[in-house]
Amino acid sequence: MMLSPKSAYEAQGGSPSSMQAMTAMTTGNSYSPSSYTSSGYSVTQSMTTLGSSYTTGMNGVGMGTIPPSHTSMTAMGMNSVPGSQLTTMSTMGAQHPGLANSLGVGMAHPGQSMSPMTMQGSVNGVNMNLTREDVLNRQKQYRRSYTHAKPPYSYIALITMAVQSSPNKMVTLSEIYQFIMDLFPFYRQNQQRWQNSIRHSLSFNDCFVKVQRTPDRPGKGSYWTLHPNAHSMFENGCYLRRQKRFKCERKAAMKAEQKAENEEVLSGAPAGQQPPPQANTPVHNSPTPESAHVSSSPMTVTTQTPSPTLTQLTQPKPLAPTAVPVQSQHPQDQLGYPTRPIPQTSPMSAAMSMYSTDHIKTSVHPSFHHPFSINSIISQDHKLTELKGYDPMQYSGYASMYNTNPSVVPKQEMETPAVTEPATGYFSGYVPQYSTTASTLQS
DNA sequence: GCGTGTTTAACTAATG
DNA sequence: CATTAGTTAAACACGC
């Protein structure tokens, strides 16, 4: 069987989209997939999540929806991942351990007390009782697996996390790399591959704005920040795949115009009448490109979804206790954008807040609350996690991205926060390596 | 040479 | 089934 590079890649961990499929599947009120047995091990367990009752397999997913080829490719792909130990995990389970966790599936961790009786499994449909040793061994395997499973986030989401986690809300390319590798062990391998994708995403997507360095801050590369209107990119509440790409139409119009001009030069024929940009598109209170050190000049932006108004953007919303008003160094100031306070939180919590629908709830859809947003899944435990100073890396994976339920997190790890939370409340466990750069910007 | 940034193309998968 | 979002590869330019 021949595997394309793409297939081999997906076998390493799958794509975010499959996560979304999973989410979609679990939105039913009653969901009872057949037990997953492709790897010879499955756990069937009843659970209640968000008021809905589920009976689910290990992954909370009906594996029957995954073509057999995926399974076999997965098995092959595992071998191509150095250090990968995804031997017993299903494809979906390997990709989305955290969600499985968050949904209350039997995912105990080493050190966590769990009676064998609470973890009844079946092998190829045959029920079996696992000994405690079996359980612990498998738990260890799962734990290792998560470390190298691909996060269910798109590169756009990862970049956004990095930006949001930065005190100044802007990061360099290398800082983005570092952020991702620090947070997701999966990305410590095949760096050339995904880093190319990161660069492509930054350039290709209008939601990312390049901020030129000023002479007093020399260094390599520019800073990257989020377009202010791009905060509602994930307005559907499912933050794994955007339904609409953030588009700067004026920019696109200019590109089209330039393209037409080029064609005109080449063909000698006059280009078609170019409608004036923004002829029918609403113009927001956008920054004037002249006032910004931004390479992408036309910054008037329209989005398919209702964008926050200027008032909404400038109106400070109630902040969390740890929130700190954004100073004038905010890149959006530099861009001439209207600013709003952004809570200074940890990368993890920043990621959470980024995946939170809070800003949408307040500025776009007051009552919007996607039942299966990550925010919904973790919201209750999130605050506790921050208070506890929980270090996600100690938990060897990003399962905690979904769930930091202290009843699931090993007690031992819960009690040993890596770093005491600074007075600024910036973070509870993760120390960004680029903090020096960021703090330099503050000065 | 290397890192950064841009662009094009091909492809997969999700969505309407 | 067509469209779109996202991924990956690759070529190229630029600056240090």
Side-chain angles (χ1 to χ4, degrees):
Chain A
M1 172 184 175
M2 291 291 290
L3 267 184
S4 68
K6 171 70 173 173
S7 302
Y9 157 73
E10 286 174 343
Q12 293 176 18
S15 62
S17 47
S18 43
M19 176 67 173
Q20 193 176 27
M22 178 179 181
T23 304
M25 292 182 67
T26 55
T27 51
N29 278 338
S30 180
Y31 172 57
S32 302
S34 56
S35 295
Y36 173 59
T37 58
S38 77
S39 60
Y41 176 69
S42 72
V43 171
T44 302
Q45 181 172 347
S46 297
M47 60 187 184
T48 301
T49 303
L50 298 171
S52 301
S53 180
Y54 298 86
T55 300
T56 179
M58 193 67 180
N59 315 302
V61 153
M63 300 305 292
T65 62
I66 297 185
S69 59
H70 278 63
T71 308
S72 57
M73 283 194 302
T74 300
M76 294 180 67
M78 297 310 169
N79 299 328
S80 66
V81 184
S84 175
Q85 299 291 332
L86 299 171
T87 51
T88 61
M89 285 299 293
S90 70
T91 305
M92 295 298 288
Q95 293 163 18
H96 318 303
L99 187 56
N101 237 349
S102 67
L103 294 178
V105 185
M107 283 291 209
H109 301 272
Q112 183 186 16
S113 172
M114 187 179 215
S115 125
M117 292 307 293
T118 64
M119 196 151 179
Q120 292 185 333
S122 64
V123 174
N124 293 328
V126 179
N127 287 335
M128 59 174 285
N129 288 328
L130 298 172
T131 67
R132 179 180 171 81
E133 216 169 70
D134 290 334
V135 172
L136 291 179
N137 283 338
R138 295 187 192 284
Q139 288 163 6
K140 286 176 185 174
Q141 283 181 327
Y142 296 147
R143 183 179 169 135
R144 271 202 309 275
S145 302
Y146 302 159
T147 302
H148 295 282
K150 186 177 184 181
Y153 303 108
S154 67
Y155 291 124
I156 294 170
L158 293 174
I159 296 168
T160 305
M161 286 183 206
V163 172
Q164 297 276 24
S165 71
S166 166
N168 288 289
K169 308 304 168 195
M170 60 179 186
V171 289
T172 63
L173 182 63
S174 60
E175 288 166 359
I176 294 172
Y177 293 160
Q178 198 58 52
F179 174 88
I180 293 172
M181 285 189 289
D182 284 350
L183 219 51
F184 303 107
F186 173 87
Y187 291 109
R188 290 169 194 167
Q189 46 194 339
N190 297 320
Q191 295 182 19
Q192 190 178 0
R193 179 189 292 175
W194 66 263
Q195 288 179 352
N196 187 13
S197 297
I198 290 290
R199 292 193 301 272
H200 170 262
S201 294
L202 285 169
S203 294
F204 181 76
N205 293 284
D206 293 346
C207 55
F208 301 120
V209 179
K210 194 169 71 175
V211 182
Q212 300 291 356
R213 285 180 183 269
T214 52
D216 57 315
R217 289 165 189 162
K220 212 167 188 180
S222 306
Y223 289 100
W224 290 92
T225 189
L226 266 180
H227 192 284
N229 288 343
H231 288 281
S232 57
M233 277 192 299
F234 301 95
E235 89 288 344
N236 62 346
C238 183
Y239 299 97
L240 301 158
R241 178 188 168 104
R242 298 173 301 173
Q243 287 185 351
K244 278 290 179 187
R245 176 178 283 159
F246 179 84
K247 268 288 181 189
C248 176
E249 295 196 2
R250 193 167 158 189
K251 192 175 173 179
M254 284 194 64
K255 281 181 182 175
E257 195 173 351
Q258 194 168 9
K259 187 178 179 181
E261 283 177 5
N262 291 340
E263 287 173 356
E264 184 180 356
V265 169
L266 288 174
S267 65
Q273 291 292 330
Q274 296 294 325
Q278 302 298 306
N280 281 324
T281 51
V283 177
H284 296 277
N285 295 292
S286 302
T288 56
E290 295 78 14
S291 66
H293 301 284
V294 179
S295 62
S296 44
S297 46
M299 293 310 303
T300 301
V301 173
T302 58
T303 55
Q304 300 290 335
T305 56
S307 299
T309 65
L310 175 63
T311 305
Q312 286 166 329
L313 284 169
T314 52
Q315 201 74 254
K317 68 172 185 176
L319 299 176
T322 57
V324 174
V326 172
Q327 303 90 335
S328 59
Q329 297 94 328
H330 193 286
Q332 292 177 3
D333 285 348
Q334 193 180 150
L335 296 171
Y337 295 152
T339 61
R340 57 177 177 152
I342 299 176
Q344 301 284 304
T345 55
S346 70
M348 289 300 294
S349 58
M352 294 304 182
S353 66
M354 170 246 166
Y355 286 111
S356 159
T357 54
D358 282 354
H359 63 280
I360 298 167
K361 280 183 287 188
T362 55
S363 63
V364 179
H365 306 295
S367 62
F368 183 81
H369 193 74
H370 194 288
F372 279 84
S373 67
I374 293 174
N375 181 52
S376 294
I377 295 171
I378 55 84
S379 59
Q380 288 185 347
D381 301 318
H382 175 214
K383 291 171 186 172
L384 178 62
T385 299
E386 277 199 339
L387 292 173
K388 286 280 185 178
Y390 175 59
D391 178 11
M393 295 313 295
Q394 284 191 327
Y395 178 36
S396 78
Y398 30 80
S400 55
M401 292 293 285
Y402 306 95
N403 179 30
T404 54
N405 189 337
S407 66
V408 176
V409 174
K411 186 183 176 186
Q412 179 186 354
E413 292 171 357
M414 283 294 294
E415 289 172 348
T416 55
V419 177
T420 308
E421 183 166 345
T424 59
Y426 172 61
F427 185 48
S428 39
Y430 173 85
V431 180
Q433 297 189 1
Y434 49 82
S435 56
T436 47
T437 309
S439 58
T440 304
L441 292 168
Q442 301 265 11
S443 60

